[in-house]
Structures are given as structure tokens and as C-alpha cells.
């Protein structure tokens, strides 16, 4: 690895460039947005030792031995074939970083719940007195931090399917899969392709590492059939011969293979929904696999904080409660959110398209969803399909207008739920900005007399 081309000048690509410069490599960077690339370079956000490549095609490849992909970049088949012919290694940003990492890596993937789970695990490590680095898809590039990580630390890594597409060097002390559900179907040829990409994390486990799988998700469970180091977690009692962790009568139990023992009794927790309890159980299991003592885990749980934008309570007025679930960028996540409420719901759906089937979803909405307010680029399509299902629905081009409508039709005892089932890139740079906007709208509404 000496002549390296980075594709994508987002935060991950820039972090990769800086790491490679530090390692004294020859670094080039390309982004489709040439103006953005030049602005980053002129602002010295990109090191002046990084060379800009304005055009990228198969001929460009002959100058490089390594390609590093930012998560948003997907190579077409012809480029991949050319890389194989020229023996050019293709790395994801996290794969590159892992080559220089001195600490054990605890990686978590799944369609939903990744960010919540890594946050829980990170908090447990920190409470146990361990220097923990929370990295990856959670928003902090691995490449940007890897040189600050020593062997006594632990890396908690949230991993997306995009990041797993080109991972051959990543070795994890433990890796967990939370669940599988349709997502990013605009990127993958079919659902099985997406699921297989997620499951590739199981090929990135160190020789004596542990694969931790959700027993309650049948498709995830099946991925452990040929894995001798597989363990499981479940909200119901595991069969005695299945190694892993489960919850019984508010206690976390462990099946060791030869006996069952109690690890901890769960304290009173402000956690909404079984899905979040499952996420917490995964984090507890990962921490125990990392040799954190049960007493330390229990101590951490008493002060556990919840990550933002995931069923975040945003406020209440006139008996109407507002929840920000902006992180719900796919239908499966929205279904999970709806299931946590017994109150009538006014649901806000919309954003940018990810290729999912809204017609099927809307045809089976549970009865507590009173209205659907669609917004954004996907809003018109969602609205038309909701009308076909004879749902009480409305459409607005922007989130603020959708919010105004929903707040005015909601009555005491109702919930206004932003759980968009779409990406945010039509109106916002990310789901956090969308969630912040919703929370600000709620705050402004609460301040009005």
C-alpha cells in the first residue's frame, strides 16, 4: 500500500486521507462534487499533500495499488473487475483503520438499533473505568481516531452494510448482529444481497472472538448454525444447550453450555419498547464477553442515558405528547416505534426514497394510527398510497408544515410521532438535523401562549 486513491470527500474520506498522509503514503482523493472538493482543499480541510483527482474511470486505476471507499460510495461492477485484474485492493474506511488499531474491537450491526446499542456498550465500558472509543457509523470516523487508541482501550464500532462491503482486514474481539429487515433497497440488487452484506461481519471476527446473535430474530439466529463461537441473546428463555444471555423475571441470565446462572437483576430503567430492552441485553452480553464484571455492569445501568432521535420525548402540550424518532429511516423501525404506544398516533412520514414498499406498510397500519401526515420528496407518493388505503392523510412539502398540521388536529391523550421511514437528504443533511428541527418546532409550540 503506497499509492492510495480515496473515493468520496465526506468526513470518512477526509479522515482516511489524513491517516494515510500520517503513514507517509501517496494520497489522492476524488469526489463527484468537484466544487466541494476544491472548497475543502482551499480551506485546508484536506491536507495540501493530498492530490485532487477530478476525473475517475478505469484508466485512472493504473496509477494506484489501493482504493479506499467512503461509506456512501458504491463501485460499479466494471470498476471492481478492473481492480481485480490490476490487483488493486479495495478497502472500506473502517477496514483501513482496523489495520492500524491496537485495541480490541467490539462491533455491532443490524438494520435497526445499532446506535442505541453501541451507546449502551460504550457507557458500560466508561463506567467500568475503561477508555472506550465510540466510532464508525455512529458519526465519528474510525480513521480519524485510530492513532489515539492504545492497547488498553476498547473500540466500540457501529458498522453499516455500506462499511462492510469491502472489509477483509477487520478483526473483532466480538461482533453482534441485532436484526435483519429490508433497508437500502435502492443500493442492493435484492434483500438477500443486503442481508448477506450485513452478515459479512461474522467473517470479521478474530480466531478466538465471539459472534453474538439475536436468537429472537430467526434469520439472524440461522447465521450462527455453522459458527462454533456463536452465542445468543434473547428476551425469552434460551434452550439449555444454547450458549448465551436471556432475560427472565427481570434478571439477566447466562447459559454457559454446562449451567445457567444469574448475572444481574435489572434496575428500574427508563427504556421504551422491547426492541430497546433487546438492544440493552446485547450491550450487557458484549460487556460480559469483554470481561466486565456483573457488578460494574449493574452500576453502569443505574446511570444509563438514552441516545437522541430514537423515540426521544420532545415535549407535551394540551395533553398531546411529541416524540422525535428521526433515526427511524426504514419501515421496520417505524413499525417498532408504533408498537411501543397504546395511545392514538398522528404519524409523520417522509423524506428521501430508500426503495421500500409503502403500499404494503400502509395497508397494514395498526388501528392506533389515526392519521398519516406525509412530507418531503417521498411525501406525495406516500400520500397517494395512503389515500388508496382510505387513510386519514395529508401532504406538505416541508417538515415544519407537516408538524403544524399534526399539532393542530391532535387531541389530549394523542401522540404526534415523527418516525419518517425515509432518509433525510431531501431537506436535511442528516437525520440528526431533521430531529433537531422537529424538537425546535415542539419547543416553539410549547412556548406559545
Amino acid at each position: 500500500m503506497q499509492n492510495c486513491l480515496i473515493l468520496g470527500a465526506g468526513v470518512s474520506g477526509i479522515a482516511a486521507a489524513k491517516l494515510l498522509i500520517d503513514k507517509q503514503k501517496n494520497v489522492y482523493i476524488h469526489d463527484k462534487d468537484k466544487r466541494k472538493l476544491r472548497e475543502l482543499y482551499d480551506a485546508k480541510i484536506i491536507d495540501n499533500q493530498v492530490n485532487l483527482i477530478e476525473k475517475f474511470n478505469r484508466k485512472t486505476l493504473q496509477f494506484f495499488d489501493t482504493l479506499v471507499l467512503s461509506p456512501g460510495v458504491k463501485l460499479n461492477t466494471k470498476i471492481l473487475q478492473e481492480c481485480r485484474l490490476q490487483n488493486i485492493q479495495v478497502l472500506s474506511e473502517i477496514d483501513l483503520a482496523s489495520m492500524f488499531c491496537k485495541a480490541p474491537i467490539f462491533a455491532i450491526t443490524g438494520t435497526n438499533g445499532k446506535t442505541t446499542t453501541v451507546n449502551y456498550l460504550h457507557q458500560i465500558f466508561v463506567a467500568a473505568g475503561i477508555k472506550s472509543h465510540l466510532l464508525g457509523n455512529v458519526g465519528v470516523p474510525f480513521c480519524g481516531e485510530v492513532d489515539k487508541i492504545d492497547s488498553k482501550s476498547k473500540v466500540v464500532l457501529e458498522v453499516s452494510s455500506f462499511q462492510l462491503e469491502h472489509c477483509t482486514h477487520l478483526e473483532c474481539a466480538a461482533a453482534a448482529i441485532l436484526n435483519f429487515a429490508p433497508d437500502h433497497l435502492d443500493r442492493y440488487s435484492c434483500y438477500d444481497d443486503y442481508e448477506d452484506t450485513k452478515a459479512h461481519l461474522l467473517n470479521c471476527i478474530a480466531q478466538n472472538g465471539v459472534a453474538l446473535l439475536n436468537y429472537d430474530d430467526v434469520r439472524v439466529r440461522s447465521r450462527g448454525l455453522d459458527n462454533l463461537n456463536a452465542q445468543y441473546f434473547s428476551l425469552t428463555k434460551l434452550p439449555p444447550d444454547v450458549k448465551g444471555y436471556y432475560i427472565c423475571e427481570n434478571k439477566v441470565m447466562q447459559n454457559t453450555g454446562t449451567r445457567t446462572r444469574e448475572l444481574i437483576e435489572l434496575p428500574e430503567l427508563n427504556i421504551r419498547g422491547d426492541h430497546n430492552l433487546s438492544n440493552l441485553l446485547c450491550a450487557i452480553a458484549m460487556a460480559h464477553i469483554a470481561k466486565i464484571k456483573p457488578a460494574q455492569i449493574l452500576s453502569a445501568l443505574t446511570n444509563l442515558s438514552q441516545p437522541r432521535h430514537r423515540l426521544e420525548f420532545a415535549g407535551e402540550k394540551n395533553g398531546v405528547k411529541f416524540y422525535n424518532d428521526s433515526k427511524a429511516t426504514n419501515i421496520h423501525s417505524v413499525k417498532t416505534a408504533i408498537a411501543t404506544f397504546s395511545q392514538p398516533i398522528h404519524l409523520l412520514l417522509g423524506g428521501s426514497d430508500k426503495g421500500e414498499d409503502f403500499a404494503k406498510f400502509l395497508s397494514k397500519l395498526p388501528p392506533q394510527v389515526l392519521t398519516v401526515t406525509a412530507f418531503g420528496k417521498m411525501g406525495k407518493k406516500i400520500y397517494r398510497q395512503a389515500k388508496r388505503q382510505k387513510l386519514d392523510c395529508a401532504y406538505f412539502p416541508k417538515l415544519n408544515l407537516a408538524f403544524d398540521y399534526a399539532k393542530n388536529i391532535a387531541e389530549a391523550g394523542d401522540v404526534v410521532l415523527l418516525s419518517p421511514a425515509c432518509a433525510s437528504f431531501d431537506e436535511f443533511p442528516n437525520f440528526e438535523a431533521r430531529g433537531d428541527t422537529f424538537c425546535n418546532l415542539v419547543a416553539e409550540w410549547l412556548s406559545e401562549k
Side-chain angles (χ1 to χ4, degrees):
M1 181 195 304
Q2 189 57 42
N3 298 313
C4 306
L5 173 60
I6 296 163
L7 297 182
V11 289
S12 294
I14 292 169
K18 290 179 177 179
L19 175 63
L20 288 167
I21 286 292
D22 288 344
K23 302 303 177 186
Q24 299 184 324
K25 309 300 181 183
N26 300 321
V27 181
Y28 297 76
I29 192 165
H30 168 78
D31 194 283
K32 287 183 178 179
D33 188 341
K34 296 175 186 177
R35 187 173 61 182
K36 169 191 168 185
L37 194 63
R38 177 56 63 180
E39 287 172 353
L40 292 171
Y41 193 80
D42 291 343
K44 301 190 185 318
I45 294 169
I46 297 176
D47 194 291
N48 58 13
Q49 296 178 69
V50 176
N51 302 284
L52 304 185
I53 296 287
E54 295 204 352
K55 290 185 179 179
F56 173 72
N57 51 43
R58 283 186 288 175
K59 289 183 179 179
T60 314
L61 294 173
Q62 62 186 302
F63 299 106
F64 303 101
D65 54 56
T66 302
L67 249 62
V68 180
L69 301 184
S70 297
V73 177
K74 184 174 177 63
L75 289 183
N76 63 45
T77 304
K78 289 182 180 179
I79 293 292
L80 282 172
Q81 288 174 343
E82 194 66 29
C83 287
R84 293 189 195 102
L85 287 173
Q86 296 190 36
N87 292 318
I88 299 168
Q89 65 173 337
V90 181
L91 307 174
S92 69
E93 179 264 334
I94 64 165
D95 204 37
L96 171 65
S98 72
M99 296 167 70
F100 303 99
C101 186
K102 299 172 184 175
I105 298 169
F106 296 83
I108 294 169
T109 196
T111 303
N112 297 308
K114 298 184 295 296
T115 303
T116 299
T117 308
V118 295
N119 270 279
Y120 288 157
L121 180 58
H122 173 67
Q123 289 180 66
I124 294 171
F125 282 156
V126 170
I130 292 169
K131 190 174 181 181
S132 175
H133 300 264
L134 182 57
L135 305 171
N137 195 58
V138 72
V140 182
F142 196 176
C143 279
E145 298 293 314
V146 69
D147 279 346
K148 305 172 188 175
I149 301 170
D150 59 39
S151 59
K152 295 181 181 179
S153 305
K154 295 191 188 303
V155 171
V156 180
L157 192 65
E158 179 184 334
V159 188
S160 71
S161 60
F162 296 2
Q163 292 167 318
L164 284 166
E165 287 173 359
H166 300 281
C167 263
T168 55
H169 299 88
L170 178 66
E171 285 195 357
C172 305
I177 300 179
L178 302 173
N179 45 59
F180 290 135
D183 198 10
H184 299 299
L185 300 182
D186 54 333
R187 182 176 176 112
Y188 295 99
S189 60
C190 62
Y191 172 65
D192 286 344
D193 184 20
Y194 163 73
E195 187 178 298
D196 288 342
T197 305
K198 284 280 192 191
H200 177 63
L201 182 60
L202 301 182
N203 299 324
C204 303
I205 299 174
Q207 186 172 1
N208 296 318
V210 175
L212 184 64
L213 304 172
N214 186 356
Y215 193 83
D216 300 334
D217 186 309
V218 175
R219 294 180 75 101
V220 173
R221 184 199 311 173
S222 68
R223 295 286 177 166
L225 294 176
D226 300 321
N227 193 319
L228 296 176
N229 292 331
Q231 296 188 34
Y232 299 85
F233 63 97
S234 175
L235 295 183
T236 58
K237 188 174 182 179
L238 289 173
D241 59 336
V242 174
K243 289 183 180 180
Y245 303 79
Y246 65 91
I247 293 176
C248 180
E249 297 178 350
N250 211 43
K251 296 182 174 100
V252 177
M253 311 295 291
Q254 182 193 17
N255 278 358
T256 66
T258 56
R259 66 190 180 102
T260 299
R261 61 175 180 170
E262 178 186 332
L263 283 187
I264 59 170
E265 183 168 354
L266 291 172
E268 187 173 338
L269 298 165
N270 183 27
I271 290 180
R272 177 178 283 276
D274 284 348
H275 64 294
N276 276 327
L277 187 59
S278 180
N279 296 336
L280 178 62
L281 178 59
C282 177
I284 291 170
M286 289 280 271
H288 192 251
I289 290 165
K291 303 192 183 320
I292 305 300
K293 295 177 181 177
Q296 293 175 306
I297 296 173
L298 180 59
S299 177
L301 298 187
T302 59
N303 296 302
L304 205 64
S305 63
Q306 307 300 315
R308 294 204 57 214
H309 309 294
R310 292 148 191 86
L311 285 176
E312 174 188 9
F313 178 62
E316 180 178 353
K317 184 172 183 177
N318 301 333
V320 178
K321 293 183 177 180
F322 297 82
Y323 285 88
N324 163 31
D325 195 37
S326 182
K327 183 64 172 68
T329 59
N330 57 62
I331 287 172
H332 180 267
S333 188
V334 178
K335 289 179 180 177
T336 302
I338 291 170
T340 67
F341 295 97
S342 57
Q343 305 99 311
I345 296 170
H346 302 275
L347 181 62
L348 274 62
L349 292 172
S352 50
D353 193 5
K354 293 176 79 179
E356 290 203 74
D357 183 0
F358 276 88
K360 184 177 179 182
F361 165 60
L362 293 168
S363 71
K364 296 182 179 179
L365 273 182
Q368 75 261 38
V369 179
L370 296 184
T371 67
V372 171
T373 306
F375 65 92
K377 191 173 182 180
M378 272 293 290
K380 282 187 178 179
K381 182 177 180 181
I382 294 170
Y383 171 74
R384 287 194 297 266
Q385 291 174 343
K387 286 289 283 184
R388 289 191 194 105
Q389 300 300 327
K390 300 186 173 93
L391 298 174
D392 188 344
C393 56
Y395 162 72
F396 299 90
K398 300 289 185 181
L399 174 59
N400 65 316
L401 300 175
F403 171 81
D404 286 342
Y405 176 78
K407 83 176 192 302
N408 288 328
I409 62 172
E411 298 179 352
D414 293 353
V415 164
V416 173
L417 173 63
L418 171 68
S419 195
C422 297
S424 59
F425 304 125
D426 56 338
E427 186 178 353
F428 303 98
N430 48 53
F431 74 83
E432 293 96 338
R434 178 171 62 191
D436 287 340
T437 297
F438 178 81
C439 289
N440 291 336
L441 290 168
V442 173
E444 289 171 10
W445 170 234
L446 297 183
S447 67
E448 291 181 14
K449 294 182 181 179

